[in-house]
Amino acid sequence: MVALATLAAGCAGSPAHPHRSASRPAPHGRLVVKVVRLPWQLPRPVARSVALTDGSRVLLAGGLTVGDVSSSGVYGVDVATGRTRQLGTLAQPVHDAAGALIDGNVFVFGGGAQSTTAAVQEVVAASGHGKLVGQLPTPRSDLSSAGLGGRTILLGGYTGSSLATATLSTSNGKSVAKLAALPVPIRYGATVSDGHHIWVFGGASGTQPVDDIQRIDSSGAARVIGHLPHPLTEATALDVGGKVLIAGGRTSPTSTSNVVYAFDPATSRVRTVAHLAVPVADAGGVVVNGAGYLLGGENSTQVGVVQKVTVSYAAAPRATATSTAAAPAAPFSGRLLIADRGNDRLLVVDAAKHVLWRYPTSSRPGPPGGFYFPDDAFFVHHGTGIISNQEGNNTIVEIGYPSGRILWSYGHAHVAGAGPGYLNQPDDAYLLSDGRVVVSDASNCRIVIVSPKAHQVGQIGTAGSCTHHPPTSLGYPNGDTPLPDGNLLVSEIHGSWISEYTLAGHLVWTVQLPTVSYPSDPQQIGPDRYLLADYARPGGLVEFDRAGRILWRYQPRHGSRMLDHPSLAEVLPGGFIAVNDDYRQRVVIIDPTTKRIVWQYGHTDVKGRHAGYLDTPDGFDLLSPTSTTPTHPNTG
């Protein structure tokens, strides 16, 4: 993770942000955060650099360049013109280090290259010469830093074998002292100082992002004071104009966020305030002359883009009885596939609500037996195909995209059955990475695994035995979401059970959710955090853990925000939640921080087949601009 430290040149141990006067007037009006991509780029793509400022320019040290090569360069970047020149060279190339500017010299702490290092490096400003000047107590990479009370505080990281727990303090860069441990040990945390405290947002515990917000005071004491809307790692935190912002990052190993959050220290809450021009993680973040800058970073690879972030305050509009939250211009990027069940069709739309593709059409005819009652649809093979289960037709089909050619099928159209080759109300058909297909055969009360040659090769549960008695029988399963470890997350309507099974049928865990009336299509969104739709009126979205604790709920009981039988909810790369609102004839996107609908396709409570209308939409999927499937990266 890049480090955020803006220590003033010539002042050893100066805090990362000047201590603010208590008499500084608080800003008034509506917060306006703007992000623009600057017309110039860095000379070469780079991510995971140490990013500092001497007050007038950006200093970038180390980092990871294209080909995953660690850099030893130290560069100065003029943010007004983009002019970049090399100022010096590190003694050792590193990335994922922390840094500080002390007495005008660049200090780099730890980091990684071929292995994690404990080295403390100094680059002397006068000569540009890099040298080793000390050692951390243990090797540490993926750490971050911020200034507080005349010291540089080093937080989080990875020792090469485990997460680093203790925070470290240094005033001269060459000697460090241990402080208290972080309550949630993490690597890749987004770290910033507001002059009074250090805040650490998210990060990764093991391989999974976390949602914790941790606060460190001047004594080094640390505690968890809140939570992000969703787990987030490798983001960048900045204090711009007195407002703490968290930008970009990853919501999963393959999903890069474009969301900018604002954090309120008084309430420990965050809300979405803007979107990046380019989604990035691991960007270098600094504040120069009152504006924030994100330099480089990663999405599918390292990039050289530079994005400028500004904060201002506009007069708040007079509230009216009909005022609604303003919707962001683009709550997702890429293509949204909608299974328009009542219209017996699939649609692909963009964020501007343009219909990009339809199926079936005269030039893309449906399969033998017709295309009827498509309950779900998911992109496969990096967006070159779509797999869809026709719940009312008892079949699964794989369709070439955009050709519409039928590539594979299973089941017998219009005929329900439990014997080989037959299905009865198939739900949630997923193509696995090994070419097999898993589907919830709901009315047969089993999960079926089908080979690429359309032969049944496995099942979980017993056909006709429809009670929750794991692992022997399932109580009317309607969801079978593949997990990153290869297991399945199964929802059972009878009794509202959620369970994890291996593909061989072994039970990993099971939990009952008595406050959920009809669990639909659960998704894993964190190390022990899951999201499902409650298929009811009024319907709801529920986040829970394996102990059955409800962590978050969305369930308005009336008005435009109420859901009527939502069947699928998934977290998009930016942190918003997309939902099929089946019986209100729409697909909506919800901001979980404000619980407001920020986008929808379809006309609320009005069925239709013309452009902009839907009839009982029952499935969706997102294809990113890079042809990945961020909501199911392991099966797309």
Side-chain angles (χ1 to χ4, degrees):
M1 175 63 195
V2 298
L4 174 68
T6 54
L7 305 188
C11 301
S14 300
H17 295 273
H19 189 83
R20 295 185 177 84
S21 167
S23 62
R24 177 180 176 179
H28 295 284
R30 178 175 56 89
L31 174 67
V32 178
V33 177
K34 293 184 178 180
V35 182
V36 296
R37 177 177 176 173
L38 296 183
W40 52 269
Q41 294 199 120
L42 298 173
R44 60 176 177 171
V46 67
R48 304 172 184 265
S49 299
V50 169
L52 310 167
T53 180
D54 61 7
S56 62
R57 61 182 173 177
V58 175
L59 307 176
L60 291 178
L64 205 61
T65 61
V66 173
D68 292 338
V69 177
S70 296
S71 171
S72 61
V74 179
Y75 297 89
V77 183
D78 184 335
V79 294
T81 65
R83 181 173 179 268
T84 302
R85 67 186 184 94
Q86 186 165 357
L87 304 177
T89 305
L90 296 172
Q92 297 178 352
V94 289
H95 63 274
D96 282 331
L101 193 65
I102 302 175
D103 286 337
N105 297 332
V106 171
F107 281 78
V108 173
F109 304 94
Q114 298 302 316
S115 61
T116 299
T117 181
V120 178
Q121 305 186 60
E122 180 184 10
V123 178
V124 179
S127 64
H129 176 66
K131 57 183 178 179
L132 300 179
V133 294
Q135 294 279 316
L136 300 176
T138 61
R140 189 179 293 208
S141 63
D142 314 339
L143 68 165
S144 56
S145 64
L148 188 64
R151 298 167 296 163
T152 297
I153 309 298
L154 307 177
L155 307 107
Y158 182 66
T159 66
S161 60
S162 63
L163 292 174
T165 56
T167 58
L168 304 175
S169 170
T170 180
S171 59
N172 61 12
K174 300 176 183 179
S175 59
V176 297
K178 289 185 178 181
L179 299 177
L182 287 175
V184 180
I186 50 93
R187 59 203 294 193
Y188 304 123
T191 303
V192 67
S193 171
D194 65 1
H196 304 280
H197 303 93
I198 294 174
W199 309 90
V200 182
F201 300 94
S205 177
T207 60
Q208 294 292 332
V210 301
D211 63 5
D212 304 279
I213 302 173
Q214 304 185 68
R215 186 182 72 188
I216 298 92
D217 63 26
S218 58
S219 70
R223 66 188 184 96
V224 175
I225 53 84
H227 296 276
L228 297 167
H230 295 284
L232 183 68
T233 185
E234 298 166 67
T236 303
L238 299 166
D239 183 354
V240 183
K243 178 60 66 174
V244 174
L245 305 175
I246 307 105
R250 300 187 194 276
T251 55
S252 76
T254 58
S255 298
T256 307
S257 174
N258 69 345
V259 171
V260 180
Y261 293 112
F263 170 67
D264 183 353
T267 62
S268 300
R269 300 191 67 179
V270 298
R271 61 187 179 95
T272 301
V273 292
H275 293 84
L276 297 176
V278 179
V280 289
D282 300 303
V286 294
V287 176
V288 181
N289 296 327
Y293 294 87
L294 273 68
L295 298 99
E298 295 177 348
N299 36 55
S300 58
T301 186
Q302 292 82 13
V303 298
V305 298
V306 179
Q307 303 179 71
K308 182 179 180 180
V309 185
T310 57
V311 167
S312 61
Y313 294 86
R318 180 175 296 178
T320 67
T322 58
S323 63
T324 58
F332 67 89
S333 58
R335 301 183 177 199
L336 188 70
L337 169 66
I338 300 173
D340 191 13
R341 189 183 77 186
N343 283 320
D344 300 327
R345 66 180 181 180
L346 304 177
L347 299 176
V348 174
V349 303
D350 61 17
K353 305 181 185 178
H354 300 131
V355 176
L356 308 176
W357 184 84
R358 295 179 177 88
Y359 178 87
T361 65
S362 58
S363 61
R364 293 186 285 266
F371 191 69
Y372 172 65
F373 211 101
D375 177 72
D376 291 288
F378 301 102
F379 284 109
V380 295
H381 302 311
H382 300 286
T384 62
I386 294 170
I387 190 166
S388 177
N389 50 279
Q390 300 175 82
E391 184 177 308
N393 206 23
N394 304 308
T395 57
I396 307 168
V397 293
E398 185 181 341
I399 305 162
Y401 178 78
S403 70
R405 186 167 60 93
I406 299 301
L407 305 176
W408 181 90
S409 66
Y410 184 80
H412 294 259
H414 311 296
V415 181
Y422 286 84
L423 298 168
N424 190 352
Q425 196 183 348
D427 204 347
D428 277 16
Y430 284 96
L431 178 65
L432 303 179
S433 58
D434 62 5
R436 293 183 295 173
V437 171
V438 61
V439 65
S440 177
D441 191 15
S443 288
N444 283 325
C445 295
R446 63 183 180 177
I447 306 297
V448 173
I449 303 168
V450 183
S451 75
K453 295 184 177 180
H455 298 140
Q456 182 178 329
V457 292
Q459 76 176 43
I460 302 169
T462 304
S465 181
C466 297
T467 58
H468 176 75
H469 191 269
T472 305
S473 61
L474 306 176
Y476 206 97
N478 73 329
D480 58 342
T481 309
L483 298 175
D485 62 4
N487 293 343
L488 300 176
L489 192 61
V490 175
S491 54
E492 299 170 64
I493 298 168
H494 294 167
S496 298
W497 291 92
I498 309 297
S499 309
E500 181 179 340
Y501 284 90
T502 68
L503 285 173
H506 301 300
L507 179 69
V508 180
W509 59 267
T510 186
V511 67
Q512 188 175 32
L513 301 175
T515 63
V516 174
S517 59
Y518 190 121
S520 184
D521 297 3
Q523 311 288 317
Q524 184 173 17
I525 60 174
D528 186 14
R529 198 177 187 101
Y530 303 87
L531 171 70
L532 61 74
D534 190 354
Y535 187 73
R537 178 186 172 94
L541 312 179
V542 177
E543 293 184 10
F544 62 98
D545 63 16
R546 287 189 288 272
R549 292 186 293 262
I550 303 301
L551 307 175
W552 178 85
R553 185 187 290 268
Y554 173 96
Q555 198 161 17
R557 307 197 69 81
H558 52 77
S560 62
R561 293 188 297 147
M562 185 195 77
L563 305 177
D564 189 352
H565 288 80
S567 57
L568 172 63
E570 293 189 323
V571 178
L572 301 181
F576 292 126
I577 300 175
V579 186
N580 280 319
D581 192 12
D582 289 31
Y583 291 175
R584 300 204 77 175
Q585 320 305 334
R586 60 186 183 172
V587 175
V588 299
I589 295 179
I590 296 169
D591 183 342
T593 62
T594 63
K595 296 189 174 181
R596 296 283 182 181
I597 293 173
V598 298
W599 185 92
Q600 80 173 52
Y601 187 87
H603 291 255
T604 306
D605 300 325
V606 181
K607 295 181 181 181
R609 189 173 179 83
H610 296 299
Y613 288 82
L614 299 170
D615 183 352
T616 322
D618 205 39
F620 70 86
D621 194 22
L622 180 64
L623 182 68
S624 78
T626 58
S627 298
T628 60
T629 50
T631 62
H632 58 104
N634 302 295
T635 61

